[in-house]
Amino acid sequence: MTTILRRLGFYALAAFAAVTLNFFLPRMLPGDALQAVLSNIRTSNITKEQLAALSAQYGLNSKQGLVSQYLTYLGHLLQGNLGTSTSKSVSVTSVLGNDLPWTIGLIGSATIVAFLLGTLLGIIVGWRRSGVLDALLPVATFFQSIPYFILAFLLLLTAGFYWKLFPFAGGYETGRNSSLVEGWNGPFVTSVVEHGTLPAATVALASIAGWIIGMRNMMITTMDEDYVLVAAAKGLPQWKVIAVAARNAILPSISNFALSISLVVTGSIVTEIVFSYPGVGYEIYNAVLNTDYPMMQGILLVVTFTVLGANLLADIAYVILDPRARREA
């Protein structure tokens, strides 16, 4: 418990630092954010009162001191107010509320599949090394060495465009001829799964090699430990011996899982742009094109909190699985 509380304090400090950087970094960039707002307003006649109202609406009141703006920003943040999008004229929170489920579903499914399948294959390859499954390693490493956007384009062209196996754009079927009704119904869920298969496959293929190789190497090392040899000498069934070795070999993978979340998030942003997938990655691409600073700030903050949350959960799981971590506390 002491270890978990200590790490909670560390992550709280890291979250505060992220919030502070998220406020100050955009204000250090050259240019005027208010001019970006005015460029999206199709009118040349704007009064001083309207300009002041816009400044207040978008939190761009330059007459306030920097410290006062920072305190106002923290107050809004505690209320769940991430500001107003300058390109869409709606709250950033509402936009992210629509986009986050798509990205979480994409990243979550792809990461879990890659982790579970890669770990399982790593256990088998490590236990039965120099076997047929060793041929998987060069293939998996080949896919991991390909940049995300190139791998996404290859899957889009082959499985999407030429073979017509999966849709290659959007999050679900749209258009005038579409009769889908959004919600938890069979046709809509089926369409979402079909449209998400290629983006999820891109993320999974680009990351599965690391799990296979890492777990394989740890299994080879763990199998020579005394407790595994004793378990085998006692005549335990082979699956129990494998389970004893795998439980200890998987600990580094638990730690690496949290570290890989940030890379997966980065890769998903590129993947969403290539497939025009309606998630946070595609939204930040549009925000950059439209110089939508509040939207960029909100997405950066959400992504940072997601990575910190994943690291915290991995640390808690590590403490639960490894008794040595509890004893060190």
Side-chain angles (χ1 to χ4, degrees):
M1 190 64 181
T2 304
T3 304
I4 294 177
L5 290 176
R6 185 187 306 152
R7 295 185 181 183
L8 279 173
F10 169 78
Y11 283 110
L13 182 62
F16 177 75
V19 168
T20 303
L21 287 174
N22 193 49
F23 172 81
F24 284 103
L25 283 179
R27 286 160 176 78
M28 296 171 62
L29 296 175
D32 186 359
L34 187 57
Q35 292 300 321
V37 177
L38 295 177
S39 64
N40 294 318
I41 301 176
R42 298 181 179 180
T43 179
S44 58
N45 299 321
I46 184 168
T47 64
K48 293 182 178 180
E49 291 76 13
Q50 291 173 329
L51 188 61
L54 285 173
S55 299
Q57 178 183 357
Y58 293 106
L60 303 174
N61 191 355
S62 58
K63 293 183 180 180
Q64 282 186 322
L66 200 58
V67 175
S68 179
Q69 292 181 42
Y70 177 63
L71 294 177
T72 302
Y73 170 75
L74 290 179
H76 289 167
L77 194 61
L78 291 175
Q79 298 172 8
N81 181 7
L82 296 176
T84 304
S85 169
T86 59
S87 61
K88 298 185 176 183
S89 299
V90 296
S91 67
V92 174
T93 305
S94 64
V95 176
L96 292 180
N98 293 328
D99 293 337
L100 270 177
W102 294 95
T103 297
I104 291 174
L106 173 65
I107 296 177
S109 59
T111 305
I112 291 173
V113 168
F115 175 73
L116 294 179
L117 185 59
T119 301
L120 179 61
L121 291 174
I123 292 172
I124 298 173
V125 172
W127 186 263
R128 296 290 187 184
R129 56 185 181 272
S130 301
V132 178
L133 288 178
D134 272 347
L136 286 174
L137 296 179
V139 177
T141 305
F142 168 76
F143 281 113
Q144 188 172 16
S145 63
I146 302 176
Y148 269 102
F149 65 94
I150 294 180
L151 181 58
F153 273 120
L154 289 175
L155 290 178
L156 187 149
L157 288 174
T158 55
F161 185 74
Y162 290 120
W163 300 339
K164 309 293 184 183
L165 297 177
F166 299 100
F168 52 83
Y172 56 93
E173 184 182 351
T174 57
R176 295 180 180 180
N177 298 326
S178 176
S179 59
L180 292 178
V181 178
E182 294 188 28
W184 293 101
N185 56 77
F188 182 75
V189 172
T190 301
S191 179
V192 169
V193 171
E194 289 177 349
H195 282 75
T197 299
L198 290 183
T202 301
V203 176
L205 286 174
S207 58
I208 194 172
W211 303 121
I212 297 176
I213 295 174
M215 194 64 191
R216 171 186 176 273
N217 294 340
M218 285 304 303
M219 278 294 294
I220 293 174
T221 302
T222 305
M223 282 164 48
D224 293 330
E225 296 290 340
D226 293 340
Y227 58 86
V228 178
L229 298 176
V230 170
K234 285 183 176 181
L236 291 178
Q238 189 177 33
W239 68 269
K240 285 190 175 181
V241 179
I242 296 175
V244 170
R247 179 181 177 181
N248 291 275
I250 201 174
L251 292 176
S253 294
I254 295 295
S255 298
N256 293 332
F257 179 79
L259 297 176
S260 68
I261 290 294
S262 58
L263 298 177
V264 172
V265 168
T266 305
S268 71
I269 291 175
V270 177
T271 303
E272 287 179 9
I273 293 172
V274 172
F275 289 101
S276 299
Y277 192 80
V280 173
Y282 193 62
E283 192 64 55
I284 197 171
Y285 170 71
N286 291 326
V288 171
L289 290 180
N290 295 309
T291 60
D292 192 342
Y293 295 116
M295 183 64 70
M296 286 186 278
Q297 276 186 286
I299 293 176
L300 176 62
L301 200 60
V302 169
V303 170
T304 302
F305 282 169
T306 301
V307 174
L308 288 176
N311 277 270
L312 177 60
L313 292 177
D315 281 348
I316 293 175
Y318 193 91
V319 170
I320 294 173
L321 292 174
D322 191 356
R324 294 171 297 180
R326 296 193 293 271
R327 286 198 301 266
E328 290 174 1

